[in-house]
């Protein structure tokens, strides 16, 4: 039996099948990798895709990733967590203290516990007493800094003779995919366009990996499964979307908020431990977090409060940080060329979708990026040191139009309110 159209009727519009979010993310990752690979070839800078650069990016991205995961748990429950920086600071001290005494595993547990204490303070202030979330977060940051300075002078100064640093702390061992890693290194040394770039990137991901790094990346799918594929996660996210409706269905909103913020602090504390217990890191140093808690928060916002997007943001910030530490001004300057290529692809996609304003904005941004690259030889050293922070500002500005935070984030909730 076939359907016919009578006069005056219109043919129903066919809906295009939406591309899954993970597929879109994978495509954009591929675009970025190809852009960096071509930039490496065009500028003669193999350091852009070298395995050592990728290793540094992974190592430096782990604290940002863990801090961002902490922010994700808290904010999905409706609690803004500006205090991630202070919780990371507490984690650095706890990890160094217990790691020095009993080894890296004990340091990891202590870092999570110290961070969780910071989360508990934030939860008491915001959930129980209704303190403004931003004010409470700033207070936690100041409290974390002050407490660790006092504890460091009390505990570490008699040993290291310096109140601002700890004695050497034992590290986790590292593991490599042997002999796969050796084969990738040989391909990288051939310096073949595309092949060597891919070998360098993959080799950096499977070489010199610590258990803490493995744990950090494992927590991304775990967080997704818990928050999006379990009844517990549904209830927790409902507290961030509509706590009154959640309470009317029997969800203990305050209990879930408490739990989410404490888990948030523990994850941020693990991010602090990554600055202590991963190979290549020093022991405890005053101010060693260097605003990574805020960058983790930016990575979470860039990822639109989703674990997969957060992972991409942490990788981007870790890569920019690792590049400027290993290679200096010249290679960071080459990122303007890579950014130009990515923006041209963005402009082409916007034209295809007939979004003319977005296409024009991307094209103008590409012209600006290429002008900076063409008319300068390298970035000033003073500016290069702030590459991760500048990337944070640019990425947040670019992503601001497509963000969808939890509906009730930052809204005070009292039991029994309508």
């Amino acid at each position: 039996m076939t359907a016919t159209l009578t006069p005056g009727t219109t043919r129903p519009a066919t809906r295009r099948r939406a591309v899954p979010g993970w597929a879109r993310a994978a495509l954009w990752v591929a675009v970025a990798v190809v852009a960096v690979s071509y930039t490496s070839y065009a500028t003669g800078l193999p350091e852009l895709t070298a395995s050592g650069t990728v290793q540094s990016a992974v190592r430096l991205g782990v604290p940002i990733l863990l801090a961002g995961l902490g922010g994700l748990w808290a904010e999905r429950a409706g609690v803004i967590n500006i205090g991630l920086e202070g919780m990371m600071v507490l984690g650095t001290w706890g990890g160094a203290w217990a790691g020095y005494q009993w080894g890296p595993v004990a340091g990891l547990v202590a870092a999570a516990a110290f961070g969780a204490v910071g989360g508990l303070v934030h939860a008491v202030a915001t959930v129980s007493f209704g303190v403004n979330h931003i004010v409470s977060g700033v207070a936690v940051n100041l409290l974390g800094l002050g407490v660790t300075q006092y504890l460091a002078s009390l505990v570490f100064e008699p040993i290291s003779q310096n109140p601002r640093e700890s004695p050497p702390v034992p590290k986790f061992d590292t593991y490599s995919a042997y002999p796969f890693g050796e084969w990738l290194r040989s391909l990288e040394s051939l310096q073949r366009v595309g092949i060597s770039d891919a070998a360098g990137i993959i080799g950096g991901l499977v070489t010199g990996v610590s258990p803490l790094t493995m744990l950090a990346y494992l927590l991304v799918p775990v967080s997704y499964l818990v928050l999006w594929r379990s009844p517990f996660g549904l209830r927790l996210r409902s507290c961030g979307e509509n706590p009154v409706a959640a309470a009317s269905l029997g969800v203990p909103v305050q209990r879930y908020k408490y739990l989410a913020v404490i888990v948030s602090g523990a994850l941020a504390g693990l991010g602090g431990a990554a600055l202590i217990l991963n190979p290549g890191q020093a022991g405890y140093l005053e101010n060693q977090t260097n605003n990574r808690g805020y960058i983790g928060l930016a990575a979470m916002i860039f990822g639109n409060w989703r674990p997969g997007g957060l992972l991409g943001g942490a990788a981007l910030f870790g890569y920019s940080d690792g590049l400027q530490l290993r290679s200096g001004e010249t290679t960071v300057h080459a990122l303007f060329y890579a950014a130009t290529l990515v923006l041209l692809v963005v402009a082409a996609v916007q034209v295809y979708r007939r979004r003319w304003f977005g296409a024009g904005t991307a094209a103008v941004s590409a012209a600006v990026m290429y002008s900076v690259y063409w008319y300068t030889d390298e970035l000033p050293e003073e500016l290069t040191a702030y590459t991760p922070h500048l990337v944070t500002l640019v990425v947040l500005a670019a992503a601001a139009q497509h963000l969808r935070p939890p509906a009730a984030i930052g809204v005070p909730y009292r039991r029994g309110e309508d």
Side-chain angles (χ1 to χ4, degrees), residues 11 14 93 112 162 167 212 222 230 238 252 262 269 288 337 355 373 383 403 411:
R11 186 181 299 275
T14 58
W93 192 91
N162 188 338
L212 180 50
V222 167
S230 72
S238 70
I262 291 172
Q288 74 188 121
Y337 189 92
R355 296 177 180 175
Y373 172 76
L383 190 61
L403 299 179
V411 177

Side-chain angles (χ1 to χ4, degrees), residues 78 105 110 118 126 136 154 199 250 255 258-259 305 310 326 373:
V105 174
T126 56
S136 175
L154 186 68
R255 186 186 307 168
Y258 258 91
L259 183 60
W305 288 266
L310 162 62
R326 280 184 58 87
Y373 172 76

Side-chain angles (χ1 to χ4, degrees), residues 23-43:
R24 289 198 300 270
L27 285 174
W28 282 112
V29 169
V31 168
V33 170
V34 171
V36 173
S37 176
Y38 182 78
T39 301
S40 175
Y41 164 73
T43 59

